Amino acid sequence: MQRHAGDARVVATLARRQERELRAWLNGSDAGGSPPTTLAPALSRAAAEVEDAHGVAVEVVTVGDCPLDPDTEAVVSAAREALTNAAKFAGTEPIALFAQIDADRIAVFVRDRGPGFVLEAVPGDRRGVRESILGRMQRHGGCAAIQAAAGAGTEVALVLERRS
């Protein structure tokens, strides 16, 4: 941190990373070594990776957990894409990820306070939202909804009904 003392954004990113590592150590969990085997830590790891890559704070709240499988991994990938888009386009405001995971349903929300956008105005050759979020969720039996308005931020909702 001392080497980057003049760059507040870099110092804040390093401090958040160290806080995550300390919390993981205090909780006795793996701070980043082996891959997660359940959804909540996988979402947290995806958020941490986006936070580190883009230098923007990502606040994560998860309620519940379940094992990872191809469908829940698709939720993680769609959430990572939503987080990445928010980090790239929403400015420096924190991004929020909230996940509610129960026996019947997974719901993940990614919110930012950025400038928002109009999905229909995104050029057709830009496939991130259409394929990496909407299409991915549909291919795995879930759905995604995007609420965005110019100047009002964006919320991406990912919903997957769990199979028994």
Side-chain angles (χ1 to χ4, degrees), residues 9 12-13 16 20 47 50-52 54-60 83 87 91-96 111:
R9 189 172 176 167
T13 299
R16 285 190 302 272
R20 279 193 311 271
V50 169
E51 186 174 81
D52 289 346
H54 297 280
V56 62
V58 180
E59 300 164 357
V60 178
L83 289 166
T92 60
E93 289 291 322
I95 301 164
R111 295 181 183 121

Side-chain angles (χ1 to χ4, degrees), residues 15 18 20 31-32 39 47 54 83 85 94-95 98 103 109 113 119 123 126 134 137 145 160:
Q18 288 180 342
R20 279 193 311 271
L39 182 57
H54 297 280
L83 289 166
N85 287 343
I95 301 164
F98 174 76
F109 302 91
R113 294 186 188 116
L119 182 59
R126 301 291 306 268
L134 301 169
M137 290 301 296
L160 179 69

Side-chain angles (χ1 to χ4, degrees), residues 66 69 71-72 75 100 102-108 137 140-144 158-164:
C66 68
D69 61 28
D71 293 334
T72 55
V75 172
Q100 174 73 42
D102 59 39
D104 300 320
R105 185 173 187 248
I106 296 166
V108 177
M137 290 301 296
H140 287 272
C143 64
L158 310 170
V159 178
L160 179 69
E161 301 297 329
R162 298 198 50 215
R163 300 174 191 161
S164 308

